[in-house]
PDB file of all heavy atoms in Angstrom:
ATOM      1  N   SER A 252       2.057  16.872   9.574  1.00 79.00           N
ATOM      2  CA  SER A 252       3.438  17.332   9.057  1.00 79.00           C
ATOM      3  C   SER A 252       3.540  16.669   7.645  1.00 79.00           C
ATOM      4  O   SER A 252       2.488  16.367   7.083  1.00 79.00           O
ATOM      5  CB  SER A 252       4.566  16.475   9.855  1.00 79.00           C
ATOM      6  OG  SER A 252       4.472  15.096   9.860  1.00 79.00           O
ATOM      7  N   VAL A 253       4.703  16.679   6.994  1.00 78.00           N
ATOM      8  CA  VAL A 253       4.841  16.366   5.784  1.00 78.00           C
ATOM      9  C   VAL A 253       4.502  14.904   5.619  1.00 78.00           C
ATOM     10  O   VAL A 253       5.028  14.027   6.431  1.00 78.00           O
ATOM     11  CB  VAL A 253       6.351  16.564   5.281  1.00 78.00           C
ATOM     12  CG1 VAL A 253       6.596  15.991   3.851  1.00 78.00           C
ATOM     13  CG2 VAL A 253       6.631  18.027   5.332  1.00 78.00           C
ATOM     14  N   GLY A 254       3.822  14.485   4.578  1.00 81.00           N
ATOM     15  CA  GLY A 254       3.395  13.094   4.373  1.00 81.00           C
ATOM     16  C   GLY A 254       1.960  12.928   3.935  1.00 81.00           C
ATOM     17  O   GLY A 254       1.413  13.975   3.505  1.00 81.00           O
ATOM     18  N   GLY A 255       1.496  11.874   4.138  1.00 90.00           N
ATOM     19  CA  GLY A 255       0.067  11.503   3.860  1.00 90.00           C
ATOM     20  C   GLY A 255      -0.074  10.183   3.078  1.00 90.00           C
ATOM     21  O   GLY A 255       0.824   9.395   3.068  1.00 90.00           O
ATOM     22  N   GLY A 256      -1.322   9.907   2.574  1.00 92.00           N
ATOM     23  CA  GLY A 256      -1.660   8.675   2.075  1.00 92.00           C
ATOM     24  C   GLY A 256      -0.960   8.328   0.883  1.00 92.00           C
ATOM     25  O   GLY A 256      -0.426   7.310   0.667  1.00 92.00           O
ATOM     26  N   PHE A 257      -0.679   9.265  -0.072  1.00 94.00           N
ATOM     27  CA  PHE A 257       0.011   8.998  -1.375  1.00 94.00           C
ATOM     28  C   PHE A 257       1.542   8.648  -1.042  1.00 94.00           C
ATOM     29  O   PHE A 257       1.982   7.572  -1.380  1.00 94.00           O
ATOM     30  CB  PHE A 257      -0.055  10.217  -2.239  1.00 94.00           C
ATOM     31  CG  PHE A 257       0.570   9.936  -3.552  1.00 94.00           C
ATOM     32  CD1 PHE A 257      -0.258   9.489  -4.545  1.00 94.00           C
ATOM     33  CD2 PHE A 257       1.892  10.085  -3.774  1.00 94.00           C
ATOM     34  CE1 PHE A 257       0.252   9.217  -5.906  1.00 94.00           C
ATOM     35  CE2 PHE A 257       2.360   9.871  -5.105  1.00 94.00           C
ATOM     36  CZ  PHE A 257       1.482   9.323  -6.089  1.00 94.00           C
ATOM     37  N   GLN A 258       2.102   9.536  -0.235  1.00 95.00           N
ATOM     38  CA  GLN A 258       3.706   9.156   0.045  1.00 95.00           C
ATOM     39  C   GLN A 258       3.693   7.872   0.830  1.00 95.00           C
ATOM     40  O   GLN A 258       4.552   7.157   0.556  1.00 95.00           O
ATOM     41  CB  GLN A 258       4.197  10.351   0.835  1.00 95.00           C
ATOM     42  CG  GLN A 258       4.282  11.579   0.061  1.00 95.00           C
ATOM     43  CD  GLN A 258       3.079  12.468   0.286  1.00 95.00           C
ATOM     44  OE1 GLN A 258       1.986  12.017   0.537  1.00 95.00           O
ATOM     45  NE2 GLN A 258       3.098  13.763  -0.120  1.00 95.00           N
ATOM     46  N   GLY A 259       2.844   7.779   1.923  1.00 95.00           N
ATOM     47  CA  GLY A 259       2.895   6.497   2.702  1.00 95.00           C
ATOM     48  C   GLY A 259       2.613   5.244   1.904  1.00 95.00           C
ATOM     49  O   GLY A 259       3.284   4.181   2.170  1.00 95.00           O
ATOM     50  N   GLY A 260       1.657   5.449   0.904  1.00 96.00           N
ATOM     51  CA  GLY A 260       1.373   4.213   0.101  1.00 96.00           C
ATOM     52  C   GLY A 260       2.501   3.889  -0.829  1.00 96.00           C
ATOM     53  O   GLY A 260       2.879   2.617  -0.952  1.00 96.00           O
ATOM     54  N   VAL A 261       3.218   4.783  -1.376  1.00 97.00           N
ATOM     55  CA  VAL A 261       4.377   4.535  -2.242  1.00 97.00           C
ATOM     56  C   VAL A 261       5.510   3.957  -1.405  1.00 97.00           C
ATOM     57  O   VAL A 261       6.089   2.965  -1.896  1.00 97.00           O
ATOM     58  CB  VAL A 261       4.718   5.803  -2.856  1.00 97.00           C
ATOM     59  CG1 VAL A 261       6.037   5.561  -3.725  1.00 97.00           C
ATOM     60  CG2 VAL A 261       3.741   6.220  -3.950  1.00 97.00           C
ATOM     61  N   VAL A 262       5.761   4.375  -0.199  1.00 97.00           N
ATOM     62  CA  VAL A 262       6.832   3.877   0.641  1.00 97.00           C
ATOM     63  C   VAL A 262       6.486   2.493   0.962  1.00 97.00           C
ATOM     64  O   VAL A 262       7.310   1.601   1.020  1.00 97.00           O
ATOM     65  CB  VAL A 262       7.186   4.855   1.838  1.00 97.00           C
ATOM     66  CG1 VAL A 262       8.204   4.071   2.604  1.00 97.00           C
ATOM     67  CG2 VAL A 262       7.660   6.103   1.274  1.00 97.00           C
ATOM     68  N   ALA A 263       5.188   2.196   1.300  1.00 96.00           N
ATOM     69  CA  ALA A 263       4.858   0.804   1.614  1.00 96.00           C
ATOM     70  C   ALA A 263       4.945  -0.043   0.439  1.00 96.00           C
ATOM     71  O   ALA A 263       5.310  -1.274   0.576  1.00 96.00           O
ATOM     72  CB  ALA A 263       3.328   0.785   2.153  1.00 96.00           C
ATOM     73  N   ALA A 264       4.674   0.361  -0.750  1.00 97.00           N
ATOM     74  CA  ALA A 264       4.855  -0.447  -1.943  1.00 97.00           C
ATOM     75  C   ALA A 264       6.268  -0.752  -2.148  1.00 97.00           C
ATOM     76  O   ALA A 264       6.618  -1.850  -2.568  1.00 97.00           O
ATOM     77  CB  ALA A 264       4.328   0.296  -3.125  1.00 97.00           C
ATOM     78  N   THR A 265       7.211   0.162  -1.822  1.00 96.00           N
ATOM     79  CA  THR A 265       8.682  -0.138  -1.971  1.00 96.00           C
ATOM     80  C   THR A 265       9.114  -1.285  -1.066  1.00 96.00           C
ATOM     81  O   THR A 265      10.044  -1.903  -1.451  1.00 96.00           O
ATOM     82  CB  THR A 265       9.425   1.130  -1.611  1.00 96.00           C
ATOM     83  OG1 THR A 265       9.335   1.436  -0.341  1.00 96.00           O
ATOM     84  CG2 THR A 265       9.212   2.216  -2.756  1.00 96.00           C
ATOM     85  N   THR A 266       8.367  -1.515   0.043  1.00 96.00           N
ATOM     86  CA  THR A 266       8.661  -2.617   0.869  1.00 96.00           C
ATOM     87  C   THR A 266       8.422  -3.887   0.052  1.00 96.00           C
ATOM     88  O   THR A 266       9.227  -4.829   0.180  1.00 96.00           O
ATOM     89  CB  THR A 266       7.769  -2.686   2.074  1.00 96.00           C
ATOM     90  OG1 THR A 266       7.914  -1.325   2.783  1.00 96.00           O
ATOM     91  CG2 THR A 266       8.256  -3.762   3.013  1.00 96.00           C
TER      92      THR A 266
END
Side-chain angles (χ1 to χ4, degrees):
S252 65
V253 178
F257 188 89
Q258 295 88 339
V261 170
V262 175
T265 61
T266 304

